[in-house]
Amino acid sequence: MSHTEAFAELLQRLHRALAAEADRGFVNLKGSRQYFAEFLSETLATAPGGLEDKDSARRWQDLGARYARYADLENAARAHLVAETRRFLHRIRRSLETPAPERPNGKPTAPPEAAILDQPMTKLGGIGPKLAAQLEKLGLTTIGQVLRYYPRDYLDYSNRTTIKVCQPGEMVTLLGQVRRCRCFTSPRNHKLSIFTLTLGDGTGQMQLSQFFAGTRFTHRGWQEAQMKQYPRGATVAASGLVKRSTTGLTLQEPQLEVLDEGEDLQNLTKIVPVYALAEGVGAGVVRRAVKAALPFANAFTDPLPAAVRTSLGLLDLPGAIRAVHYPESAEHKLQARRRLVFDEFFFLQLGLLQRRHRQKRQSAGIAFRTRGELIEQFYKLLPFAFTGAQKRVVEEVLADLGSPEPMNRLIQGDVGSGKTVVAVVAMLTALQSGYQTALMAPTEVLAEQHYQKLVQWLSQLHLPVELVTGSVRAARRRDVLRQLASGELNVVVGTHALIQDGVQFANLGLVVIDEQHRFGVGQRARLQNKGRNPDLLTMTATPIPRTLALTLHGDLDVSQIDELPPGRKPVRTTVVTPSERTQVNELIRRQILEGRQAYIVLPLIEESEKVDLRSAIEEHERLKEKIFAEFRLGLLHGRLKSEEKEAVIGAFRRHELDLLVSTTVVEVGVDVPNATVMLIEHAERFGLAQLHQLRGRVGRGANQSFCLLMSATKTESALQRLRVLEQSNDGFLIAEMDLRLRGPGEVMGTRQSGLPDMVLSSLVEDQDSLELARREAQSLIERDPELTAHPLLRAELAGRLDRLMDGAILN
Ligand code: ADP
Ligand code: MG
């Protein structure tokens, strides 16, 4: 292997590790030999031979050194460091690909004053090495980075008051000294940690409480660390809604912020930014750094043409950056946010639209024959007629398939809406035009199920189908792979096993991917790369509200199957409490006695899978021995081997089991029409979209089905959330509600998207400005697809693409 090849491979390995770490939410993954952070700090410790320029070599090692402390960093800081590393490596990879030193189409040279933004913080007065080291824990080294470190929240001291005069029902901010502070495990719930803080402000005292659910928080170590943050005498700002409690007046879910000694108390008359922090970095540290850097905000060049800015009423960039940190009023803060969010979204849309423009222009796809025998025969075989929505989507798909531009279409449709049959029509189109087609699903269970269905249909058309998963025996698999490579076999269904290097196609024309959001962009691309510009059809049963769809799929065409096949009875859903346990068990028993089957779903809640697994196993035992002793029970959980899982599901499908106790692994795709009841325990711990997904496992046959959402919660908002499911069976509406109630980061796992939190929250709050940005980007790309007339925009986009490409959105 040559020097460069070895280097490229090293970069590839780093890329994979970083991507996996980001995908999993920065948990410091354990690999086969070592933890993520160890791997990074070891690998980056010495700059490799392929890295020629000195600056990059130094940077390489600097980054490596920072991974030594990765495990101590908070999530936000970990995300920051990972993102920075990925950007850096991405740049290096690119420079390997374009060895020519001069890049005529590259960035214009930055104006000289911009260079100040790349200077280390220590260049500024008042920022010494100690402070710089603390900032580094947050991934912040340069002045520009500090300025781009936006607050995660604000404390608004305009409603500041004193303990003595506050009234129940008011939103207030209090400033007081810590008198006492305790942190202990709740005597009633060993998974709940309670933190109480007594503040005094000279006019009175108030006791505040915070609750932390989860065994992680009941460790003594965590509790001690929590208390250490609030030393006696420290000044704390507390904000929240005043309410009565048994200990007198208190604040509901108080937001607490420790003010550093010597922090400029004058500022506390205004709006004070609150930043995401790391262990050992006080709140005042970031504020001080930001203040020192703020005079240099002018060095940011605004890439947006002034005309666009004025017509949309946006602040200029330096102004927005200043205001996002220290706004003069609540309104000013909103303006800053609006501008910065606009940018994020605008450049994302520019990137997506530009990419799509290029795709359509450059790559010649396949123009399939969309009329033919196979499709006709298939329609005759089907025991049902397509719904209106299915017909419409089939037309949309066929139009794409028939055109020479490569298709990139997503079908969204609720569980059971009949996406798979639509995909089959597409696959037959490819087959009758002489191409191969592959369907990939995220789990073995789902792949197996699709396989069964395809066999059932295609065997009647005398078309062989094969399955490729991790559990298919080696000899069989070799045979299948040989047939795929030679072109004897034209249809294959499988899991990730399909994207392995050994899998080759003679003539792959169409790739279908089910539950597409469960795959990374890279994985989808790898399957596509096994053909020459094959068409891509993706499917998802997790419907996405429009704004989010625009964000995540700006470069896809989206079809919606928004109608269920006729005769389906909507699942009857009820929120129940533990006091109704007897009736719940009765309902399950009655259904089983009538010959139906049931699911009981237990949530996976804790960080420790072991605890959950134990509780799932115990619950299964208890149900089997005490409650449903007369029935045949099975247990399904994520730790089973795939053959074991398949055996349990198979038995349930064949009705050798009456009741399946399961963790959420049952969520994806298990299709047993005879199952009519699902009981979901601790329903409040799930997101609405996930509950809806789970509920989709019942109501698949002709019988009336039931979904029981068990919850002991007394929190009104949690109950209200669950009641959305009682009232609606509409996946899109539920997704929209979920987004509003929980926020998009949670809902979509968009933490990984590479978008800042601020943008994520505005997906809900500020849809108008997103639409504006989209429209602006669209008209720009139509006029000037390569942005040749807009060098500043082009440069900004190039810089941001690095980051966006690292996220799940572009790749
Ligand atoms: P999805 O993949 O969207 O969850 P499927 O394609 O698996 O849905 O369809 C769910 C079930 O409904 C399958 O058993 C399928 O055969 C059946 N089905 C699909 N379309 C129709 C239709 N138009 N009329 C009746 N049944 C249908
Ligand atoms: Mg499906």
Side-chain angles (χ1 to χ4, degrees):
M1 201 187 298
S2 82
H3 218 56
T4 355
E5 272 169 36
F7 186 41
E9 195 185 295
L10 176 68
L11 288 174
Q12 191 57 37
R13 275 177 51 209
L14 284 165
H15 172 71
R16 277 200 299 269
L18 287 156
E21 176 71 5
D23 271 356
R24 299 290 289 275
F26 311 100
V27 292
N28 198 9
L29 288 171
K30 182 148 173 36
S32 51
R33 284 194 312 114
Q34 55 192 161
Y35 282 95
F36 165 77
E38 272 177 277
F39 172 61
L40 266 281
S41 74
E42 252 174 46
T43 316
L44 299 180
T46 40
L51 202 58
E52 265 137 34
D53 77 293
K54 281 232 176 56
D55 278 349
S56 299
R58 185 149 17 87
R59 188 88 206 289
W60 178 281
Q61 287 171 314
D62 283 351
L63 282 167
R66 283 161 59 188
Y67 278 92
R69 283 197 303 256
Y70 186 81
D72 303 329
L73 297 182
E74 263 207 6
N75 217 277
R78 288 183 180 188
H80 231 85
L81 180 55
V82 167
E84 198 183 330
T85 316
R86 295 176 85 177
R87 275 198 299 279
F88 171 66
L89 294 179
H90 187 74
R91 249 195 319 272
I92 292 185
R93 262 202 313 207
R94 280 243 217 124
S95 66
L96 285 185
E97 285 157 15
T98 40
E102 43 168 21
R103 292 161 58 187
N105 287 326
K107 297 183 187 183
T109 43
E113 74 269 24
I116 183 74
L117 297 173
D118 293 327
Q119 296 294 320
M121 280 300 286
T122 42
K123 277 272 144 84
L124 300 179
I127 309 288
K130 189 159 156 250
L131 204 95
Q134 285 183 302
L135 289 170
E136 227 183 271
K137 287 193 180 179
L138 296 166
L140 307 174
T141 37
T142 67
I143 296 173
Q145 283 168 345
V146 167
L147 286 171
R148 287 287 196 176
Y149 197 68
Y150 303 146
R152 71 169 161 76
D153 211 336
Y154 301 85
L155 286 174
D156 189 347
Y157 289 97
S158 51
N159 50 21
R160 182 173 154 195
T161 181
T162 55
I163 293 176
K164 190 166 175 207
V165 302
C166 61
Q167 297 286 333
E170 280 176 348
M171 281 300 295
V172 299
T173 297
L174 302 168
L175 212 59
Q177 271 74 42
V178 175
R179 295 277 152 81
R180 183 157 184 256
C181 139
R182 299 204 310 137
C183 196
F184 53 95
T185 305
S186 161
R188 274 186 241 145
N189 178 349
H190 69 282
K191 291 179 180 170
L192 186 72
S193 179
I194 304 175
F195 171 69
T196 68
L197 182 70
T198 309
L199 287 187
D201 71 351
T203 73
Q205 280 207 37
M206 184 183 272
Q207 184 179 317
L208 305 169
S209 308
Q210 285 181 327
F211 302 92
F212 299 90
T215 46
R216 167 154 72 106
F217 301 113
T218 54
H219 286 158
R220 286 236 41 86
W222 184 88
Q223 296 184 341
E224 274 158 22
Q226 170 75 9
M227 288 198 294
K228 262 219 300 264
Q229 290 181 40
Y230 301 90
R232 237 182 114 85
T235 305
V236 170
S239 307
L241 183 70
V242 183
K243 63 163 195 180
R244 278 183 214 291
S245 79
T246 46
T247 53
L249 288 187
T250 185
L251 301 181
Q252 185 174 327
E253 294 169 19
Q255 192 197 348
L256 302 176
E257 170 89 348
V258 185
L259 303 175
D260 274 11
E261 246 173 276
E263 254 201 281
D264 189 356
L265 287 180
Q266 244 166 273
N267 272 312
L268 300 183
T269 52
K270 290 200 235 125
I271 299 174
V272 177
V274 175
Y275 299 94
L277 299 173
E279 175 88 43
V281 186
V285 169
V286 182
R287 285 197 282 262
R288 242 162 78 203
V290 167
K291 278 207 193 132
L294 221 47
F296 299 96
N298 279 332
F300 282 102
T301 340
D302 196 332
L304 272 195
V308 173
R309 232 161 46 215
T310 16
S311 80
L312 301 178
L314 296 171
L315 292 183
D316 69 6
L317 185 61
I321 287 185
R322 273 193 300 269
V324 79
H325 293 291
Y326 283 97
E328 279 155 21
S329 62
E331 170 58 28
H332 196 208
K333 176 182 93 189
L334 288 180
Q335 281 177 1
R337 223 183 104 110
R338 185 158 170 267
R339 163 63 208 256
L340 297 172
V341 167
F342 181 91
D343 280 17
E344 295 294 341
F345 204 69
F346 177 69
F347 285 104
L348 173 62
Q349 291 301 323
L350 271 186
L352 288 166
L353 291 166
Q354 189 179 63
R355 187 166 79 149
R356 175 155 160 178
H357 180 91
R358 287 182 190 158
Q359 245 172 19
K360 291 212 156 158
R361 208 191 40 204
Q362 290 170 357
S363 46
I366 306 159
F368 293 98
R369 217 154 46 79
T370 57
R371 308 254 164 260
E373 270 293 284
L374 278 183
I375 294 185
E376 295 305 317
Q377 284 176 354
F378 177 65
Y379 281 133
K380 288 204 192 103
L381 278 177
L382 275 184
F384 49 76
F386 273 11
T387 61
Q390 282 173 315
K391 283 187 194 143
R392 192 188 68 235
V393 174
V394 165
E395 284 313 313
E396 287 165 358
V397 171
L398 290 183
D400 286 354
L401 287 170
S403 108
E405 280 174 7
M407 168 167 81
N408 190 3
R409 184 173 289 278
L410 170 71
I411 302 182
Q412 291 196 17
D414 226 331
V415 273
S417 61
K419 295 181 292 294
T420 314
V421 246
V422 172
V424 174
V425 174
M427 294 171 85
L428 292 172
T429 309
L431 292 173
Q432 74 187 7
S433 309
Y435 287 89
Q436 290 173 306
T437 173
L439 192 164
M440 180 162 75
T443 64
E444 298 210 353
V445 170
L446 202 52
E448 170 81 21
Q449 221 157 249
H450 281 313
Y451 170 70
Q452 304 278 4
K453 271 206 184 130
L454 283 177
V455 168
Q456 185 194 322
W457 286 322
L458 300 194
S459 64
Q460 301 181 64
L461 302 169
H462 311 292
L463 297 167
V465 187
E466 293 292 344
L467 180 68
V468 172
T469 66
S471 0
V472 173
R473 277 187 221 312
R476 173 97 202 112
R477 187 149 132 188
R478 250 195 318 275
D479 199 38
V480 171
L481 295 192
R482 188 187 50 71
Q483 293 185 32
L484 279 178
S486 71
E488 280 162 72
L489 176 67
N490 289 323
V491 192
V492 68
V493 180
T495 53
H496 302 80
L498 281 178
I499 57 181
Q500 278 158 12
D501 289 339
V503 184
Q504 278 169 17
F505 291 83
N507 194 13
L508 180 63
L510 171 69
V511 165
V512 181
I513 296 183
D514 195 13
E515 300 297 332
Q516 57 97 24
H517 60 283
R518 299 206 168 213
F519 291 98
V521 185
Q523 291 175 316
R524 283 178 249 164
R526 273 179 75 186
L527 184 53
Q528 257 183 308
N529 287 339
K530 294 188 182 286
R532 254 168 278 117
N533 270 324
D535 279 11
L536 177 65
L537 183 64
T538 52
M539 306 192 274
T540 180
T542 309
I544 306 167
R546 187 182 143 69
T547 38
L548 205 49
L550 277 182
T551 318
L552 298 176
H553 308 302
D555 67 336
L556 294 181
D557 294 302
V558 181
S559 291
Q560 289 186 4
I561 305 189
D562 44 12
E563 181 185 351
L564 287 184
R568 273 281 155 90
K569 298 203 181 90
V571 178
R572 215 177 279 159
T573 304
T574 323
V575 179
V576 289
T577 61
S579 66
E580 296 163 278
R581 180 68 72 181
T582 328
Q583 292 95 306
V584 167
N585 289 346
E586 250 342 280
L587 174 67
I588 295 175
R589 184 164 290 123
R590 260 199 323 274
Q591 289 288 311
I592 297 182
L593 288 174
E594 281 175 27
R596 305 283 90 76
Q597 288 161 278
Y599 297 100
I600 294 182
V601 180
L602 309 170
L604 275 180
I605 23 153
E606 301 292 343
E607 288 77 14
S608 152
E609 278 180 53
K610 273 205 195 110
V611 174
D612 283 334
L613 196 55
R614 188 148 29 83
S615 64
I617 293 170
E618 277 165 15
E619 181 63 6
H620 170 247
E621 286 301 311
R622 195 182 69 84
L623 291 167
K624 193 165 145 181
E625 277 157 27
K626 304 237 164 76
I627 316 286
F628 296 114
E630 69 270 45
F631 300 134
R632 299 161 300 176
L633 271 66
L635 174 65
L636 186 67
H637 58 74
R639 288 293 188 83
L640 293 177
K641 294 209 192 71
S642 51
E643 307 98 79
E644 294 170 322
K645 262 189 231 164
E646 199 38 58
V648 176
I649 291 172
F652 190 65
R653 196 179 288 135
R654 291 187 302 272
H655 203 168
E656 292 159 17
L657 295 173
D658 302 304
L659 202 163
L660 191 60
V661 179
S662 171
T663 58
T664 50
V665 286
V666 76
E667 170 189 357
V668 175
V670 175
D671 186 7
V672 179
N674 191 46
T676 54
V677 204
M678 174 174 281
L679 166 62
I680 302 176
E681 298 284 352
H682 300 289
E684 78 283 354
R685 292 180 185 164
F686 294 96
L688 289 185
Q690 199 186 4
L691 286 171
H692 179 64
Q693 188 86 334
L694 282 165
R695 171 170 72 173
R697 300 305 113 219
V698 293
R700 301 176 81 83
N703 294 296
Q704 177 62 56
S705 290
F706 303 89
C707 177
L708 304 161
L709 305 174
M710 177 66 74
S711 175
T713 182
K714 300 224 160 47
T715 317
E716 192 47 40
S717 59
L719 284 172
Q720 236 168 29
R721 214 162 60 84
L722 293 179
R723 292 211 182 92
V724 172
L725 289 168
E726 284 188 330
Q727 280 145 27
S728 176
N729 266 294
D730 176 347
F732 285 95
L733 182 108
I734 290 165
E736 186 89 43
M737 291 301 288
D738 209 20
L739 191 65
R740 281 178 189 282
L741 295 168
R742 281 198 311 157
E746 287 280 311
V747 174
M748 292 298 299
T750 27
R751 275 179 301 153
Q752 320 154 12
S753 67
L755 291 175
D757 290 348
M758 196 166 58
V759 177
L760 295 179
S761 55
S762 64
L763 287 174
V764 186
E765 291 158 18
D766 196 11
Q767 310 206 357
D768 289 351
S769 92
L770 301 188
E771 299 276 341
L772 266 182
R774 166 90 175 171
R775 234 174 296 146
E776 203 58 43
Q778 234 160 2
S779 90
L780 193 61
I781 290 292
E782 270 161 31
R783 277 178 287 138
D784 183 12
E786 294 302 326
L787 301 175
T788 24
H790 299 84
L792 279 179
L793 284 177
R794 201 179 61 213
E796 178 73 21
L797 180 61
R800 283 170 182 258
L801 275 182
D802 284 355
R803 192 190 77 207
L804 293 171
M805 309 236 308
D806 283 343
I809 294 179
L810 290 170
N811 210 327

